[in-house]
Amino acid sequence: MRKQRALFALVCLLLGAVSAGLLLGQRTREYKSDQFLMDTLVSIRVYGKDADKLREAVAAAYAEMHRIADLADGFPQPGTTAYRISDVCRINEQAGLKPVSADKDVIAMLTLAKKYHSLSEGAFDVTIGPVMDLWGFGRNDPQVPPPGRLGEALALVGSKDLVVNEREQTVFLRKAGMKLDLGAVAKGYATEKAIQALKRHGIEKALIDAGGNIRVLGKSRRDIPWRIGIKDPRKADALTAVLALEDSAAVTSGDYYRYFEAGGKRWHHILDPRTGYPAAENMSVTAVTADAGLADVLSTVFFVLKPEKALELAEKLEGVDLFLVADDGRILHTPGLRGRVEVKAGEGYRHDQGR
Amino acid sequence: MTRADRYLAAGILLIAILSVALFYYRSSLSSGKAASVGAVISAQGKIVRKIDLSPGGGKTTFLVSGRLGPATVEVEGKRVRMVDAPCPERICIKQGWIENPGESIVCVPGETVIHVEGAAPVDAVTR
């Protein structure tokens, strides 16, 4: 009888302790915040125990993103404060005149851009500005440019005339009329800076969604890899695949998001810098790699290249993976994604398991 | 075991069971498995409207004042879409209907967001 009583008391005590532990400890909170920034909606989710610390971390992350956005903004009107604090505006203004001293983050973005300009043999070019202006994406009146004017603008595109001096921290566009467009770099680079800010504030689990550019830190709240869907390029509410990611970025470039219609054709906004026309090899490509800045650049590089070329380049780069839906409906990915991707190819797509 | 012992033991057991139940109830709430599906509409950083999305619901339209001016939102049963907005590229309108938890329509120039609430099958979508 005495033994039984002791056992009973012990069980009660244990149950009490376990339940108290469940209630008091392990209180992982989520803090979520949205901001319109860099021409998109940026959503940051962080997880941790202290609500104040989570808020501070997210504020610091947004501050970093705003700083990069201001440096890289190519759209402000001359004479405004936004124009004066934009390194990109000042570099463009001095094209053909003289080198301009620039922030170390602008130097880093341009160095990255130049590297992938040569690795992709010109399929990626941040000096695409004059051609982008001619098409007018994002304005009220986008249009297919007349071939003559397109030729003139294309003559001003070429990263070999973009001089980045890392020692002097200066940038120079050699020809008058040249123009930088950091649209394919800045958002990813800023996202990576935001992740670094979160880490400095002790955050170990986070997800940043910058208009569909995804960067995750650590594992998800349930301590399993984050599940990141890849949007179906032709069916609005469907997914082509789901990726299982931790400490990684996934950035997609597609032909379906930003476009206009003219002459019975769709014209999307990712231009091949070698032709000046929208790239037509792929419906969508998703670059997967640790750094969000690199993933952003690579998504544009891979989108412009032919599928086989893109896969070949991805396999050559260390720590880089690629998932793509080619223009003819083929779904292909690098071997590195095996076990991390669940393909949900719907009608109209072909997924060859062999690749 | 005296009578007082028994009461004490029963009390501790009851508290233990209740708190375990409460813990699981709360974690099921926070994982977002809410029964009713709805959408939240925000404009310029503020929540301006919450709507129910139920299969039997009729068709309604209403205006939301975005940064560039009023935008028209349409709800029909369990789905919602943007039918008119004063933005240049009209990306939000071209997107069409949304109805699944986790889906959003975002109008960047108008700073307007329509978000369907509930447990999404994925943590985020790259596009």
Side-chain angles (χ1 to χ4, degrees), chain B residues 8-100:
Chain B
L8 187 66
I12 291 173
L13 200 65
L14 196 71
I15 290 169
I17 290 169
L18 273 177
S19 46
V20 170
L22 185 68
F23 173 76
Y24 282 106
Y25 174 68
R26 211 167 55 182
S27 50
S28 78
L29 273 189
S30 62
S31 69
K33 284 186 186 102
S36 73
V37 176
V40 174
I41 298 165
S42 43
Q44 302 177 76
K46 289 195 193 80
I47 293 175
V48 292
R49 198 161 176 142
K50 287 187 178 182
I51 50 174
D52 268 337
L53 298 175
S54 44
K59 193 161 155 175
T60 50
T61 58
F62 52 87
L63 293 176
V64 174
S65 53
R67 200 173 61 86
L68 301 178
T72 312
V73 176
E74 184 175 61
V75 183
E76 187 192 68
K78 60 191 177 86
R79 42 186 211 160
V80 57
R81 67 172 173 175
M82 193 81 92
V83 286
D84 191 34
C87 48
E89 290 184 286
R90 301 168 73 82
I91 292 172
C92 54
I93 299 161
K94 288 176 192 164
Q95 196 181 337
W97 296 102
I98 59 168
E99 59 181 88
N100 301 312

Side-chain angles (χ1 to χ4, degrees), chain A residues 52-67:
Chain A
D52 289 334
K53 283 204 177 124
L54 294 180
R55 245 196 313 276
E56 275 169 36
V58 170
Y62 278 122
E64 267 304 88
M65 293 192 84
H66 277 287
R67 191 176 64 79

Side-chain angles (χ1 to χ4, degrees), chain A residues 141-327:
Chain A
D141 56 343
Q143 55 178 316
V144 183
R149 293 196 56 201
L150 191 62
E152 286 164 27
L154 263 179
L156 293 169
V157 176
S159 283
K160 65 178 192 319
D161 289 315
L162 162 62
V163 185
V164 181
N165 188 327
E166 287 184 73
R167 201 166 42 86
E168 306 269 324
Q169 299 274 296
T170 60
V171 181
F172 180 41
L173 294 169
R174 277 206 195 101
K175 291 188 212 162
M178 282 181 80
K179 196 173 176 190
L180 290 176
D181 181 332
L182 294 192
V185 194
K187 206 162 53 163
Y189 188 87
T191 303
E192 195 57 37
K193 290 299 252 190
I195 286 284
Q196 286 169 15
L198 293 178
K199 279 187 181 168
R200 280 198 300 276
H201 281 75
I203 303 292
E204 290 169 354
K205 282 182 198 298
L207 185 150
I208 301 184
D209 179 348
N213 285 13
I214 310 294
R215 170 69 158 95
V216 295
L217 180 63
K219 289 185 181 180
S220 81
R221 181 183 200 165
R222 289 164 293 155
D223 270 319
I224 54 169
W226 298 89
R227 285 171 56 80
I228 307 300
I230 296 176
K231 196 179 178 301
D232 186 317
R234 292 292 176 268
K235 200 160 166 275
D237 60 349
L239 299 177
T240 310
V242 177
L243 297 166
L245 298 181
E246 42 189 288
D247 287 316
S248 195
V251 177
T252 300
S253 288
D255 65 2
Y256 53 86
Y257 182 63
R258 184 169 264 174
Y259 64 87
F260 69 92
E261 277 160 21
K265 259 192 89 171
R266 275 192 180 190
W267 305 89
H268 69 80
H269 79 296
I270 306 170
L271 303 178
D272 184 335
R274 298 163 302 188
T275 64
Y277 284 97
E281 304 290 347
N282 302 292
M283 292 187 205
S284 107
V285 308
T286 303
V288 179
T289 191
D291 185 289
L294 178 58
D296 200 1
V297 168
L298 285 177
S299 77
T300 308
V301 169
F302 294 148
F303 185 84
V304 172
L305 293 175
K306 286 187 193 307
E308 282 68 26
K309 273 241 155 175
L311 284 162
E312 195 183 300
L313 177 59
E315 283 179 43
K316 225 164 53 186
L317 301 170
E318 210 179 304
V320 171
D321 278 296
L322 164 63
F323 180 95
L324 73 80
V325 184
D327 188 51

